[in-house]
Amino acid sequence: MSGFLESLRCSECVDWGEKRNTIASVAAGVLFFTGWWIIIDAAVKYPQVEDFNHSYHACGVIATIAFLMINAVSNGQVRGDSYSEGCLGQTGARIWLFIGFMMAFGSLIASMWILFGGYVVKEKPVVYPGIAVFFQNAFIFFGGLVFKFGRTEDLWQ
Amino acid sequence: MAGVKALVALSFSGAIGLTFLMLGCALEYYGVYWPLFVLIFYFICPIPHFIAKRVGDDSDAASSACRELAYFFTTGIVVSAFGFPIILARVEAIKWGACGLVLAGNAVIFLTILGFFLVFGRGDDFSWEQW
């Protein structure tokens, strides 16, 4: 019984090879833009402020900014093995990435807060906008993670 | 001659896709022309690829950050082309049947564009840089 998962290792039966970065980029694009279309759906279905408070859109905007911040620095810059120092060097890249991830986690947590604090606990008649906000932020968050960690920088050289 | 055959086949499938799109709009039972806005997505979907090709260096690296960003945005445009008719159907601007026809047309046309780049993208005789 022990170790029966070892034969199921996925990275060996699928030859990622040179296609890995492409697949990761496409998957991240699907996740990110699906998230935004979910919130567009909720916004056009419930245009009234009572159903869907417009300030809840800020959550997805912060998640998008975090997405951009996370993916603006390469892993090599954070590790310090890039050729150019950039304007702030390794420390600046680390601080930038730290703030980016904080905004990403913060928006994810805030979307859960909106779902439960704004819709479930108040027992509103329509819960769908809250679920849409949560799914939007979850999709953007995981899209960012896929875009950041799904790609390998060995293929760039 | 292989290039000509591929070109004819691709234009045939492109016409099929546009027919699906027009059926979704123009059938008397549907009769709403809002889905035609997906044409914008068809036209802008190769643009990130062109930009990445022009900006990125032509080194023989397997991939580059610029090209991956282009794939990301292209995927976004494709997802938007599929999301747009679904939203239209959700707010009952169009019927669900029209939405299905538009989605089928989307699939055919994006496969056509993909095939176009697979067939002609790598060839030396037909390069976009000449334009």
Side-chain angles (χ1 to χ4, degrees):
Chain A
M1 189 69 185
S2 66
F4 73 109
L5 282 175
E6 281 177 14
S7 59
L8 289 177
R9 212 172 294 157
C10 199
S11 59
E12 287 170 9
C13 57
V14 180
D15 181 30
W16 293 90
E18 295 193 342
K19 290 284 171 209
R20 175 182 163 155
N21 282 14
T22 306
I23 295 167
S25 307
V26 170
V30 168
L31 285 171
F32 181 84
F33 288 95
T34 306
W36 270 106
W37 276 99
I38 288 172
I39 204 71
I40 291 171
D41 180 48
V44 296
K45 284 289 274 187
Y46 300 102
Q48 280 87 30
V49 182
E50 305 89 63
D51 290 332
F52 185 21
N53 197 331
H54 296 164
S55 61
Y56 291 164
H57 284 296
C59 205
V61 173
I62 298 284
T64 304
I65 295 172
F67 179 97
L68 297 176
M69 284 180 75
I70 288 171
N71 289 292
V73 291
S74 64
N75 287 330
Q77 267 171 329
V78 176
R79 278 197 306 269
D81 53 0
S82 67
Y83 294 113
S84 61
E85 271 291 291
C87 61
L88 287 171
Q90 194 184 352
T91 315
R94 281 177 179 162
I95 291 171
W96 178 267
L97 196 63
F98 175 73
I99 294 173
F101 270 110
M102 251 176 32
M103 284 164 72
F105 284 114
S107 66
L108 190 64
I109 293 166
S111 72
M112 293 181 197
W113 188 359
I114 287 170
L115 170 59
F116 287 103
Y119 289 92
V120 174
V121 175
K122 284 187 187 167
E123 293 181 353
K124 287 215 176 178
V126 276
V127 190
Y128 175 68
I131 296 172
V133 169
F134 171 66
F135 271 104
Q136 179 209 19
N137 283 277
F139 274 110
I140 292 176
F141 178 74
F142 287 111
L145 288 191
V146 168
F147 205 46
K148 176 76 181 165
F149 298 112
R151 300 181 296 159
T152 174
E153 289 167 16
D154 299 337
L155 291 176
W156 293 354
Q157 275 126 37
Chain B
M1 276 308 281
V4 176
K5 268 184 204 163
L7 195 64
V8 171
L10 285 174
S11 55
F12 177 68
S13 71
I16 297 270
L18 283 178
T19 309
F20 274 121
L21 177 62
M22 286 310 293
L23 277 180
C25 297
L27 279 186
E28 243 173 77
Y29 178 62
Y30 302 130
V32 183
Y33 284 80
W34 287 118
L36 280 187
F37 277 98
V38 295
L39 286 174
I40 296 173
F41 294 121
Y42 299 159
F43 284 118
I44 62 175
C45 82
I47 289 178
H49 179 78
F50 293 152
I51 294 175
K53 217 172 170 187
R54 184 66 70 88
V55 171
D57 47 348
D58 286 332
S59 67
D60 49 353
S63 188
S64 72
C66 188
R67 222 175 299 164
E68 286 155 18
L69 194 66
Y71 286 131
F72 176 76
F73 281 118
T74 308
T75 311
I77 293 166
V78 173
V79 168
S80 301
F82 282 95
F84 177 66
I86 295 177
I87 298 289
L88 282 182
R90 287 266 302 168
V91 295
E92 286 154 16
I94 62 173
K95 294 194 172 64
W96 277 105
C99 170
L101 279 171
V102 174
L103 291 185
N106 270 345
V108 173
I109 286 190
F110 282 122
L111 283 178
T112 305
I113 295 173
L114 179 67
F116 197 89
F117 279 94
L118 287 181
V119 172
F120 296 109
R122 308 223 174 260
D124 295 328
D125 53 340
F126 185 85
S127 81
W128 292 94
E129 269 89 20
Q130 287 173 0
W131 293 6

